[in-house]
Amino acid sequence: MNGLYSTIDLLALTFVVGSFLTLFVSTICSKLGGTSKGHRGPGRTPPPPLYFNLKVARVVASTLLSLTITIAWHQNSRPSGSRAVGGTLYITIVYGILLTFLSVLGFDFGHSQLIRHADLVFLGVFGAIAYHDLWPFFTFSGSTHHLDLYSVVEDTLLCILGIIIPLSSPRIYRPVNDALPPKEPHPEQMASWLSLLLYSWLNPLISIAYKSQHLAPDALFPLADYDHVEGLVSRNAPHLESRGIHRSHVFFGLMKAFSSEYVTLVVLVLVQVVLNLASPFALEQFLGYLETQGKGATIRPIVWIMLLFFSPIMYSICYQRSTFILTRMAVHTEVLLSDLVFKHALRIRLQGGESNDVSSDGKNASGQANLIGTINNHVTTDLMNVTAAKDFLPTGFWAGGELNGSIKVSSLTWRSALVGAAAMVVLAPVPGYFGSLFQSAEVEKMKKTDARVQLVSETMNVLRMIKLFGWERKIGSRIQDQRVEELALTRKRSILQLSSDMIKYAHLLVCFVIPNVVMLVTYSVYTIVARQNLTASIVFSSMTVFDVLQMQLHMVAQSIPDVIKGKVALDRINTFLSHDDLISELLGTERGMPGAEGDNHFDLDTIGISHATFSWTKSESTGTETPRNKHFTLGIHDELVFQHKELNLVTGPTGSGKTSLLMALLGEMHFHPSGPSSWCNLPRHLGVAYAAQESWILNQTIRDNILFGSDFDEERYTEVLLQCALKPDLARMEHGDLTEVGERGVTLSGGQKARITLARAIYSSAQILLLDDVFAALDVHTSQWIVNHCFRGNLVKGRTIILVTHNVSLVNNIARYVVTLDSEGQVQSHEPLKAGDGGDINVTDTDQSSELEVDNPPSDTTSTLGNTIPSGGVEGGILTKAEEIAEGHVGWSPVLLYLLGWGGRTPVLNWFLFVFGLSVTHISKSAQSWYLGYWAGQYQESFAVNVEYNVAMYTLILWCTVTLYVLSCTLKIFGSLRAAKTIHDRLIDQIFGATFRWLDTTPVARVVTRCTQDIATVDGVFPTHLATLVELTFAMLVKLAAVVYLAPPFALPGLIVAIVGGWCGQVYMKAELSVKREISNAKAPMLGHLGAALAGLVSIRAFGAQSQFIKEYHSSIDHYSRVARTFHALNCWVSVRLEALGASFAAALAAYLLYGHHNINPSNVGFSLDMAVSFSALILWWIIMYNNTEISGNSLERIANYMEIEQESEPISKPSPPAYWPASGDLRVENLSARYSSDGPNVLHNLTFHVHTGERIGIVGRTGSGKTSLTLTLLRCLFTEGKVYYDGILTSSIELEVLRSSLTIIPQSAELLNGTLRQNLDPFDQFEDATLHDALRSAGLSELQESAGQDGRLTLDTHVTARGTNLSVGQRQIVALARAMVRESKLLVLDEATSAIDHETDAVIQRTLREMKGVTQLIIAHRLRSVMDTDRIMVLDVGHIVELDTPSQLLQREGSIFRELVYASKDKDALLTMVKHSA
């Protein structure tokens, strides 16, 4: 006894010395750190009330402990055999009490170090004393042990001081950045250790969710300050943003960033390995006690029962803590990689002008055809795969668990253990083999996924054009073909490649077969070779170890495809981040581009280029390229300097490189110096604003688009609206400038978008304005208004303007410098202009006010915005509504959608076979355990055991189990592939059949999210969860039935456990499902913002707005992180509680079998406990899998919602028109009205007119008068009333595809597909090349390229990027016109089809159109030249036909609007001559 007391005293003394040294060091460190942490600074949050209450409890407990020790010491009257207090122990306790009192009195100069060290002292003392006082009660040798009252009180108080209070004390919050403390800290940052381990800090949120129908995002906890993207990026940027030649892989940067977390995880994993083997050890000892009837036992069986209870709970706490850290790392990884990808995308140079707001004028084949789709995949599928591989390092350390399992199995004898280990070694390469097959398939699959996503993204961007041409079915078939290739890689490969997705399920076979084979080999060697007898303790303890082994192999094998997919995804991201064709400056600061050392001095304020060429590729043209691969180059062979504070013109034929000149100044093209005097300079410090030819509009309000992040100045803003002719348009909008314009400004006309883009540049404070053909989409009066009021206005005085335009006559009177380019991209001339060189533009203010209805002088309109701002606020102007979020559980409709798709043509039969196979599999698997127990029981009943027979029977049961399982997995694999294809095809069909209004109000990012993230979930996650849920359900039922059969009284506890577990899962599910739905929706804004930025890269970089867009992107990332962190934490909350519930069931059964059930066979006890332990574990996994199935089903639900979107109306009977229809282009319209939505106002009002076959009708009217709406109405794209007859047949009775295929419209914005020029003219290979060449020639391409060399010509093999962004806008319109001519429709509608084409080429096109006999033409144009020789002119105004007659008749009519337009034009004489000649 004295030795024991000496040991206790020595242990206590060790804690005293260690605590004192730690206290001393931490105090010195806090002093060296500067400010004492003992005083609360501005960045610290006051401790919660519970903190002070527990401080009081410490004082009370310390006081009672000191009194107890003092009384016991003085009375010295402990019973014989009880513990006495030694001197060192007394000093240790006094030391701890002293530390407690000093901290309470405010002497905590290390803030809370005194408290922590006092806790450490009390914990050590309690551990030392508890061993003496409590352990004897758990041994058979401690029956004479006595515990007096003093010892009970001391033990209790020490437990309170050393364990309960420290675990329950809230932590004091300290912000990551004291300078910017958050308004409200996250509860996790103030939670106690007990709350952290049990996730009790989530209880308030779960309670709110359980009481409400849906948990709103605002109800979530605020984002912890260490989770904010700004802090994460600043802390980890040195690891991830490496530059230079020897750039390291992004993987190593992530490892450095999370090095401390991985060290913690390794420690936790090793603890888990020990705790995981504690249960089989306890089971072996417990069954051994029953087999020997307690003979020779020194430890009471209650210890093993307690170990069966506590070890799973402690394991679960450690496992969930490691999961919590891993998921936090996963979210942080998503944040960091998303930030890297976005910032890199802002810097990347898109080949051939792939950004939507730039045209390169070149013909280079795009080496980055899938770039946009690849970037979308990086921030969706790739990030999901990277985070799914987060377990790679902890899983590797589970090999230690396998080693421990082998050591445990070695108790069966070294020979059997050696053979079993050899079996594992032999079978070990199998997962690696399947992994190598999977990696190659995964690489190929991701390529196909990129291609599909790119095709979907491109299709969504041009879906309106596809619908106008009636190509939905054919383009949809292409996407479906891509989908088939993605799922099966290729139909021509072998069976393994045909079902490549099957590889990712191969781990199930491996982890199922290997442990069973090892068990069979081990038991066979143990009984046959070693001639040993099996006992219940050996069988069931080793079976538990084998279960651990199976779980570990399952985790390793399951992680192999995840790790491989993660590696492939991370390699893809790293390849993208290694893309070195970047813009030199990220933040758009001042940039000079001297080309070489030498005499290239220039003023930093100079705007110009000297002796240089520019291309879209790094390498300059070598002169050896063929016409097919020749790249466009822009050449300036002398010094070109634009005039400061003046208007400079850039002109030239279509495709000559006018836009490229602006791109060269902006640094978007590669600079190739010609000599020492080469330079290129654009003074960024003066501020640059850019208006793209193809207007770039954000999905925001009109005001936000104009302000573009600038401060709101009402006077300047009102003046901009006036000068850019926007006030009349805003006055007609119900919500004025607070109207949302939709994605890419779909609700605006081309002219309105152009003027908003111009207004953005004018409103900015930039001194340099680069304007790219802002007049192309404007009518004559509006263009003249812009010139007179904007370019001559006060807002552009003192600012340098470089204007690209074909309409030189409109602005040459105010221009002071002109640059002319030839068709080969060379500067033909550049010279200054003197005032008056171009003559005067005589347009009176009266003429403008009559057209624009704005006659107030600027001074009268600066005090108020009038009709521009609605009184109703912003809400009414919202076009894009917030994405709807379903409430409650996932409905049966989405699940039924999947089940029917999974089952194919015979869903009932296929599902029956799958369910039957799984149920019989688990009955057979349980029979394995029972037969081993039966085999072991034979040794107790008889000495003659037929070992060979038992081995044969066990082998038969084993292979029946394996065979059934393999067949079930096969059904699951093919069913999943079938469902994935079916659901994807239906999704695409529904999107293609949607109304134009739905396309206007639905951001493309939402559609892309369905086709990427949600489809990826349906492909892999959801079917895995669903199949596992079905499997776990039958496994639980089988195991519970076995327990109830052997211990009938446990039917009620089993039912109670199931009910409590179900209720716990229900509580958890209410919160988890809401948060999961928010996660799904939180991704769409990130994709939308990324897509908007990619579409306007040039504009963003020109304005220097990168930091603004990065800030907005960070805001969307923080919102996603806030939801994602809560989502993962909720999983840990439910897991800990369900694990404790299952452990209590197994421990209670063990206690019942020991104390309440006599004369039971140890084999049956072992079998019952094995089933109970498995059932307990399955309760947790069943609830988790049920929740995961419903959570992943949210993606299915989101897809199912798109199955119900509004579809375009089709005739009920769908009668087929005659085969010859249409034989003519006769068009008759009666009382036609139209509106954009079913409940919206009419935009066309009772139009009635008749167009005869071959007649050419010119349609004019100011911007927004309804010209484009009329063309859409003819194709039934809007909600209409009235009748339209085409060649005598009512169009409403014709199927949409037939109608739209029979007439052709050339929309205002020419949109092309990614592919060759041939594929754009003839997407479905229906025509010969000769026909295509004729169409191009008729569309004016030959005249355009007459002066171009052979190398600079467009050919049928010229590659066209998505939306035709590597062609100029004029070239795109020519291609679109040629495409329309190829169709040879009887009715041709041209909506501003030549607005961006030079006058000479336009004249050729008009001549071609006049020669098209028998083709009815409706020509919408702002250029009066395009309609002056038509048969009749239709003038529209606010949706009404105000004039319809021949041009000559309208010119003779006094007060005619058409006459006013003609006489107001500078080309009046030429226009009148055209009318005379046509008459």
Side-chain angles (χ1 to χ4, degrees):
M1 235 359 145
N2 291 332
L4 178 61
Y5 291 144
S6 299
T7 302
I8 294 175
D9 286 348
L10 181 61
L11 183 60
L13 181 62
T14 302
F15 270 94
V16 171
V17 175
S19 175
F20 179 78
L21 290 176
T22 307
L23 175 62
F24 178 76
V25 172
S26 60
T27 303
I28 296 299
C29 291
S30 64
K31 290 294 184 182
L32 293 177
T35 307
S36 172
K37 295 182 181 179
H39 299 86
R40 184 170 60 85
R44 287 182 49 204
T45 299
L50 180 60
Y51 181 82
F52 296 102
N53 296 338
L54 290 175
K55 260 195 171 184
V56 173
R58 288 178 191 273
V59 174
V60 172
S62 299
T63 303
L64 292 176
L65 181 60
S66 59
L67 290 175
T68 303
I69 293 175
T70 302
I71 294 172
W73 182 271
H74 286 291
Q75 291 185 358
N76 197 19
S77 57
R78 292 180 183 269
S80 176
S82 63
R83 169 179 48 78
V85 180
T88 306
L89 186 61
Y90 177 80
I91 295 173
T92 304
I93 295 175
V94 171
Y95 173 67
I97 294 172
L98 178 62
L99 290 176
T100 302
F101 279 102
L102 286 175
S103 66
V104 172
L105 293 175
F107 292 95
D108 50 349
F109 26 79
H111 183 61
S112 59
Q113 285 142 342
L114 287 175
I115 288 289
R116 286 200 295 268
H117 293 301
D119 295 339
L120 184 62
V121 169
F122 287 130
L123 177 63
V125 173
F126 172 74
I129 293 179
Y131 176 75
H132 174 268
D133 289 350
L134 303 179
W135 178 245
F137 289 101
F138 297 102
T139 63
F140 288 105
S141 59
S143 57
T144 59
H145 180 73
H146 298 286
L147 196 63
D148 64 334
L149 178 61
Y150 297 110
S151 297
V152 173
V153 174
E154 291 166 1
D155 292 348
T156 303
L157 292 174
L158 285 171
C159 179
I160 293 173
L161 289 169
I163 298 178
I164 296 176
I165 291 179
L167 288 178
S168 305
S169 295
R171 297 173 299 157
I172 296 180
Y173 167 68
R174 297 179 179 85
V176 173
N177 186 356
D178 287 332
L180 296 171
K183 296 180 181 178
E184 181 183 356
H186 193 282
E188 176 200 346
Q189 297 176 285
M190 302 177 66
S192 65
W193 283 106
L194 186 63
S195 180
L196 282 178
L197 295 176
L198 301 181
Y199 306 94
S200 302
W201 52 272
L202 285 167
N203 288 347
L205 180 67
I206 293 174
S207 177
I208 294 173
Y210 187 67
K211 296 175 183 177
S212 59
Q213 185 68 20
H214 177 75
L215 190 64
D218 295 339
L220 300 180
F221 296 135
L223 190 65
D225 50 3
Y226 52 73
D227 287 331
H228 279 282
V229 60
E230 294 285 354
L232 283 171
V233 171
S234 62
R235 291 193 300 271
N236 298 292
H239 306 307
L240 297 173
E241 296 183 356
S242 58
R243 296 287 181 264
I245 300 177
H246 303 290
R247 183 187 292 112
S248 62
H249 198 286
V250 68
F251 168 79
F252 299 105
L254 292 173
M255 290 301 295
K256 291 178 183 178
F258 300 115
S259 57
S260 59
E261 285 87 347
Y262 274 118
V263 171
T264 305
L265 285 171
V266 169
V267 174
L268 287 173
V269 166
L270 295 178
V271 173
Q272 292 172 46
V273 169
V274 174
L275 292 173
N276 208 22
L277 291 173
S279 290
F281 174 74
L283 182 61
E284 180 189 23
Q285 298 299 320
F286 179 75
L287 293 177
Y289 176 84
L290 293 179
E291 287 175 347
T292 61
Q293 300 295 320
K295 296 178 181 179
T298 58
I299 299 177
R300 296 181 182 274
I302 188 64
V303 173
W304 312 123
I305 294 175
M306 293 175 63
L307 193 57
L308 285 173
F309 175 71
F310 284 109
S311 61
I313 295 177
M314 297 304 298
Y315 170 82
S316 178
I317 290 175
C318 289
Y319 178 77
Q320 296 307 324
R321 188 62 195 171
S322 62
T323 301
F324 182 82
I325 296 173
L326 279 170
T327 52
R328 182 177 63 196
M329 290 167 53
V331 174
H332 288 179
T333 300
E334 285 190 86
V335 168
L336 292 171
L337 292 181
S338 296
D339 175 75
L340 281 176
V341 170
F342 185 75
K343 287 180 178 177
H344 197 78
L346 289 181
R347 301 184 64 211
I348 200 167
R349 193 191 307 270
L350 297 177
Q351 297 294 328
E354 287 189 19
S355 180
N356 292 345
D357 63 346
V358 57
S359 304
S360 70
D361 303 273
K363 299 169 287 298
N364 53 312
S366 174
Q368 302 172 340
N370 289 345
L371 181 62
I372 306 300
T374 300
I375 294 175
N376 279 328
N377 253 353
H378 286 334
V379 297
T380 53
T381 306
D382 284 340
L383 279 185
M384 183 171 65
N385 289 339
V386 169
T387 55
K390 61 184 179 298
D391 297 331
F392 79 98
L393 187 60
T395 302
F397 278 89
W398 272 97
E402 294 180 18
L403 178 62
N404 288 330
S406 298
I407 294 174
K408 178 61 185 175
V409 175
S410 66
S411 64
L412 295 172
T413 72
W414 67 271
R415 284 177 292 186
S416 58
L418 181 62
V419 174
M424 282 194 291
V425 171
V426 170
L427 295 173
V430 177
Y433 170 73
F434 278 105
S436 63
L437 292 178
F438 176 81
Q439 181 172 7
S440 59
E442 180 65 19
V443 172
E444 293 298 322
K445 177 182 177 296
M446 289 311 299
K447 291 179 181 178
K448 297 298 182 182
T449 301
D450 280 349
R452 178 181 63 84
V453 173
Q454 176 70 15
L455 180 58
V456 170
S457 300
E458 292 174 3
T459 302
M460 293 304 111
N461 284 321
V462 297
L463 184 54
R464 296 170 66 89
M465 181 271 289
I466 291 173
K467 293 174 70 66
L468 290 176
F469 278 70
W471 287 348
E472 299 98 312
R473 181 174 53 83
K474 296 178 180 179
I475 297 295
S477 176
R478 282 187 178 179
I479 296 177
Q480 291 166 2
D481 290 342
Q482 288 275 12
R483 177 63 169 168
V484 170
E485 292 182 8
E486 178 189 6
L487 291 174
L489 295 180
T490 176
R491 295 176 181 268
K492 300 178 181 179
R493 307 270 303 262
S494 62
I495 296 177
L496 179 62
Q497 293 166 328
L498 176 65
S499 57
S500 59
D501 279 356
M502 183 177 180
I503 297 175
K504 66 184 178 183
Y505 297 108
H507 68 275
L508 298 174
L509 177 63
V510 173
C511 71
F512 191 84
V513 172
I514 290 178
N516 285 286
V517 172
V518 172
M519 285 176 63
L520 175 62
V521 172
T522 302
Y523 290 135
S524 299
V525 172
Y526 183 77
T527 55
I528 298 175
V529 179
R531 299 294 180 181
Q532 298 292 320
N533 295 339
L534 285 177
T535 63
S537 59
I538 291 177
V539 167
F540 291 104
S541 62
S542 59
M543 282 183 59
T544 307
V545 173
F546 280 124
D547 286 340
V548 172
L549 173 63
Q550 181 173 348
M551 181 183 68
Q552 292 166 351
L553 283 179
H554 182 86
M555 292 179 62
V556 171
Q558 190 176 33
S559 68
I560 287 175
D562 288 339
V563 170
I564 292 172
K565 286 194 292 185
K567 179 184 180 300
V568 171
L570 203 57
D571 287 342
R572 285 157 46 82
I573 293 175
N574 186 73
T575 301
F576 173 74
L577 296 177
S578 301
H579 192 292
D580 57 358
D581 193 6
L582 306 175
I583 301 298
S584 58
E585 295 291 337
L586 174 62
L587 297 178
T589 54
E590 180 178 344
R591 179 184 60 84
M593 289 181 58
E597 298 295 332
D599 186 18
N600 56 0
H601 300 292
F602 55 89
D603 187 353
L604 291 179
D605 289 345
T606 300
I607 306 172
I609 304 170
S610 176
H611 299 89
T613 58
F614 297 85
S615 67
W616 289 105
T617 56
K618 281 186 176 182
S619 59
E620 193 176 4
S621 177
T622 62
T624 61
E625 297 92 339
T626 64
R628 183 171 298 184
N629 63 9
K630 176 72 177 181
H631 295 284
F632 174 82
T633 57
L634 173 71
I636 294 92
H637 302 298
D638 55 0
E639 189 171 81
L640 170 62
V641 178
F642 293 95
Q643 293 193 9
H644 265 291
K645 301 182 180 180
E646 300 291 351
L647 191 149
N648 303 264
L649 285 184
V650 178
T651 186
T654 302
S656 60
K658 301 181 294 298
T659 297
S660 293
L661 180 59
L662 300 184
M663 296 302 102
L665 288 171
L666 289 170
E668 297 291 333
M669 298 183 72
H670 288 281
F671 174 69
H672 305 291
S674 301
S677 60
S678 299
W679 55 267
C680 175
N681 189 59
L682 181 70
R684 295 274 186 169
H685 63 278
L686 298 179
V688 177
Y690 172 66
Q693 183 177 13
E694 190 173 5
S695 302
W696 176 59
I697 302 295
L698 294 170
N699 187 9
Q700 297 176 354
T701 65
I702 294 176
R703 179 187 295 185
D704 290 336
N705 270 282
I706 295 175
L707 296 182
F708 201 55
S710 302
D711 295 332
F712 179 70
D713 183 336
E714 182 175 337
E715 182 178 354
R716 182 180 181 86
Y717 181 75
T718 305
E719 188 69 17
V720 167
L721 295 182
L722 177 66
Q723 294 186 9
C724 295
L726 283 169
K727 294 204 72 175
D729 299 275
L730 298 179
R732 286 197 296 269
M733 297 180 184
E734 181 181 358
H735 303 283
D737 66 342
L738 299 182
T739 300
E740 279 194 2
V741 298
E743 203 162 39
R744 294 190 291 139
V746 293
T747 62
L748 302 174
S749 68
Q752 289 169 333
K753 287 190 283 187
R755 283 178 282 134
I756 290 174
T757 305
L758 174 64
R760 178 193 300 152
I762 299 297
Y763 184 84
S764 72
S765 60
Q767 294 301 303
I768 302 172
L769 307 181
L770 307 181
L771 309 179
D772 193 354
D773 208 359
V774 294
F775 299 127
L778 304 182
D779 56 56
V780 175
H781 276 198
T782 307
S783 298
Q784 292 174 344
W785 176 276
I786 297 294
V787 171
N788 287 346
H789 291 80
C790 181
F791 291 160
R792 289 178 170 178
N794 60 321
L795 293 180
V796 299
K797 285 183 178 179
R799 303 168 82 175
T800 303
I801 300 177
I802 301 178
L803 173 66
V804 171
T805 184
H806 288 295
N807 204 340
V808 177
S809 61
L810 193 63
V811 292
N812 59 4
N813 186 53
I814 58 175
R816 294 297 174 263
Y817 195 79
V818 61
V819 178
T820 304
L821 292 97
D822 60 25
S823 57
E824 293 186 339
Q826 309 298 310
V827 174
Q828 184 176 357
S829 66
H830 56 93
E831 57 186 356
L833 293 175
K834 295 181 181 179
D837 279 358
D840 293 328
I841 300 176
N842 298 317
V843 181
T844 63
D845 289 343
T846 304
D847 291 333
Q848 298 299 319
S849 62
S850 65
E851 171 67 19
L852 294 172
E853 301 176 4
V854 177
D855 55 3
N856 294 328
S859 59
D860 295 336
T861 59
T862 54
S863 59
T864 177
L865 297 184
N867 292 335
T868 306
I869 297 181
S871 59
V874 179
E875 290 77 11
I878 294 177
L879 174 70
T880 304
K881 298 179 181 179
E883 194 163 5
E884 294 183 359
I885 300 176
E887 297 180 353
H889 292 280
V890 174
W892 275 106
S893 178
V895 177
L896 189 61
L897 171 70
Y898 184 83
L899 296 181
L900 293 177
W902 193 98
R905 297 181 179 179
T906 55
V908 176
L909 176 62
N910 287 334
W911 275 106
F912 172 78
L913 292 175
F914 173 64
V915 170
F916 177 78
L918 283 181
S919 59
V920 177
T921 296
H922 285 281
I923 292 174
S924 177
K925 190 176 180 182
S926 297
Q928 291 180 48
S929 300
W930 174 83
Y931 193 82
L932 284 174
Y934 170 74
W935 185 358
Q938 294 179 15
Y939 288 97
Q940 295 180 345
E941 300 173 357
S942 173
F943 292 102
V945 177
N946 191 340
V947 177
E948 290 77 8
Y949 172 79
N950 287 319
V951 170
M953 288 300 298
Y954 182 77
T955 303
L956 178 62
I957 297 174
L958 172 62
W959 286 109
C960 286
T961 306
V962 171
T963 302
L964 289 169
Y965 193 73
V966 169
L967 292 175
S968 300
C969 286
T970 303
L971 282 172
K972 177 179 67 174
I973 292 166
F974 286 100
S976 301
L977 292 173
R978 186 165 47 241
K981 182 180 184 304
T982 301
I983 292 174
H984 180 269
D985 291 350
R986 286 194 58 187
L987 174 64
I988 295 300
D989 289 342
Q990 289 295 310
I991 294 172
F992 276 25
T995 63
F996 278 73
R997 185 61 177 177
W998 185 87
L999 297 177
D1000 293 343
T1001 57
T1002 304
V1004 172
R1006 292 183 186 174
V1007 181
V1008 173
T1009 302
R1010 261 61 172 197
C1011 296
T1012 54
Q1013 180 176 298
D1014 291 331
I1015 284 293
T1017 301
V1018 172
D1019 285 354
V1021 178
F1022 180 77
T1024 300
H1025 288 168
L1026 180 63
T1028 306
L1029 177 65
V1030 174
E1031 182 179 351
L1032 289 176
T1033 301
F1034 286 101
M1036 282 183 60
L1037 293 175
V1038 170
K1039 295 181 187 304
L1040 180 61
V1043 171
V1044 172
Y1045 176 76
L1046 294 173
F1050 257 71
L1052 181 60
L1055 182 62
I1056 293 174
V1057 167
I1059 292 175
V1060 173
W1063 175 82
C1064 190
Q1066 179 70 15
V1067 172
Y1068 152 78
M1069 196 60 200
K1070 287 280 289 185
E1072 184 79 336
L1073 192 56
S1074 297
V1075 176
K1076 172 58 180 175
R1077 284 168 173 154
E1078 292 295 341
I1079 282 186
S1080 301
N1081 292 339
K1083 273 287 187 179
M1086 294 172 59
L1087 288 176
H1089 193 78
L1090 177 63
L1094 292 175
L1097 273 180
V1098 177
S1099 294
I1100 293 171
R1101 291 196 282 244
F1103 278 89
Q1106 292 96 323
S1107 58
Q1108 172 190 337
F1109 271 74
I1110 290 173
K1111 183 178 180 180
E1112 293 174 359
Y1113 191 63
H1114 282 180
S1115 177
S1116 62
I1117 290 178
D1118 279 341
H1119 173 63
Y1120 171 77
S1121 298
R1122 180 184 181 186
V1123 182
R1125 292 280 284 113
T1126 305
F1127 171 77
H1128 295 304
L1130 288 169
N1131 276 322
C1132 299
W1133 180 90
V1134 71
S1135 298
V1136 170
R1137 283 152 180 78
L1138 292 179
E1139 193 71 56
L1141 183 66
S1144 64
F1145 178 76
L1149 178 61
Y1152 168 77
L1153 294 175
L1154 176 66
Y1155 298 111
H1157 204 291
H1158 302 288
N1159 299 324
I1160 188 170
N1161 190 325
S1163 296
N1164 290 337
V1165 171
F1167 177 70
S1168 299
L1169 287 178
D1170 181 58
M1171 295 293 103
V1173 170
S1174 299
F1175 175 76
S1176 302
L1178 290 179
I1179 291 175
L1180 167 65
W1181 289 111
W1182 189 91
I1183 295 295
I1184 290 177
M1185 198 52 59
Y1186 175 81
N1187 295 334
N1188 287 343
T1189 302
E1190 192 155 10
I1191 289 167
S1192 58
N1194 173 241
S1195 293
L1196 187 63
E1197 182 180 52
R1198 285 159 49 84
I1199 293 174
N1201 290 339
Y1202 270 41
M1203 303 295 179
E1204 301 173 357
I1205 58 179
E1206 187 178 23
Q1207 299 288 293
E1208 291 185 302
S1209 60
E1210 292 278 12
I1212 298 176
S1213 59
K1214 294 185 181 180
S1216 298
Y1220 61 84
W1221 184 89
S1224 69
D1226 185 81
L1227 180 68
R1228 183 158 49 91
V1229 176
E1230 299 177 357
N1231 297 321
L1232 179 64
S1233 298
R1235 56 187 181 276
Y1236 277 89
S1237 60
S1238 58
D1239 56 351
N1242 284 344
V1243 293
L1244 297 177
H1245 308 275
N1246 299 319
L1247 305 186
T1248 299
F1249 60 90
H1250 185 197
V1251 182
H1252 300 283
T1253 300
E1255 193 174 11
R1256 301 175 69 239
I1257 304 295
I1259 303 176
V1260 299
R1262 63 153 290 125
T1263 300
S1265 60
K1267 302 185 295 295
T1268 300
S1269 299
L1270 174 59
T1271 63
L1272 295 177
T1273 302
L1274 298 179
L1275 292 170
R1276 286 172 43 200
C1277 300
L1278 306 183
F1279 295 89
T1280 61
E1281 298 173 0
K1283 297 179 180 180
V1284 177
Y1285 294 91
Y1286 178 29
D1287 192 23
I1289 296 181
L1290 188 65
T1291 57
S1292 60
S1293 65
I1294 304 174
E1295 190 175 353
L1296 280 173
E1297 183 180 356
V1298 175
L1299 172 65
R1300 292 172 182 173
S1301 299
S1302 63
L1303 59 87
T1304 299
I1305 179 173
I1306 307 175
Q1308 196 167 9
S1309 177
E1311 295 175 325
L1312 305 179
L1313 302 173
N1314 181 37
T1316 64
L1317 186 58
R1318 177 185 290 102
Q1319 291 168 338
N1320 271 275
L1321 297 176
D1322 182 20
F1324 310 108
D1325 299 326
Q1326 297 172 315
F1327 302 95
E1328 299 291 336
D1329 283 0
T1331 304
L1332 305 183
H1333 281 297
D1334 289 341
L1336 287 173
R1337 190 180 305 107
S1338 300
L1341 184 63
S1342 299
E1343 285 72 11
L1344 178 66
Q1345 298 184 144
E1346 276 183 353
S1347 58
Q1350 289 294 324
D1351 291 342
R1353 297 195 171 201
L1354 291 175
T1355 68
L1356 291 178
D1357 294 321
T1358 299
H1359 186 86
V1360 180
T1361 58
R1363 303 185 67 205
T1365 52
N1366 65 322
L1367 304 179
S1368 70
V1369 177
Q1371 288 172 324
R1372 281 181 246 169
Q1373 289 188 338
I1374 288 175
V1375 174
L1377 182 61
R1379 180 173 58 194
M1381 292 179 175
V1382 168
R1383 287 164 61 94
E1384 298 181 344
S1385 300
K1386 292 296 183 179
L1387 176 58
L1388 182 63
V1389 181
L1390 296 89
D1391 187 358
E1392 293 292 347
T1394 60
S1395 60
I1397 298 174
D1398 59 83
H1399 293 296
E1400 291 75 13
T1401 306
D1402 185 30
V1404 174
I1405 295 173
Q1406 297 305 321
R1407 184 172 64 250
T1408 301
L1409 292 175
R1410 286 192 294 271
E1411 294 173 355
M1412 297 175 63
K1413 304 301 182 180
V1415 177
T1416 304
Q1417 300 173 29
L1418 303 181
I1419 304 172
I1420 298 174
H1422 286 139
R1423 288 182 177 177
L1424 294 179
R1425 285 176 177 268
S1426 301
V1427 297
M1428 292 305 294
D1429 61 347
T1430 56
D1431 298 313
R1432 284 188 292 170
I1433 298 291
M1434 178 187 297
V1435 181
L1436 291 177
D1437 186 29
V1438 197
H1440 296 273
I1441 298 178
V1442 293
E1443 296 177 4
L1444 178 60
D1445 210 334
T1446 62
S1448 58
Q1449 290 295 324
L1450 291 177
L1451 289 173
Q1452 296 174 9
R1453 186 180 303 170
E1454 293 293 334
S1456 168
I1457 297 177
F1458 178 70
R1459 183 185 182 196
E1460 291 181 3
L1461 289 172
V1462 172
Y1463 278 85
S1465 172
K1466 183 176 177 60
D1467 299 327
K1468 178 184 68 174
D1469 295 337
L1471 297 177
L1472 294 175
T1473 301
M1474 291 178 64
V1475 174
K1476 290 180 181 179
H1477 288 167
S1478 63

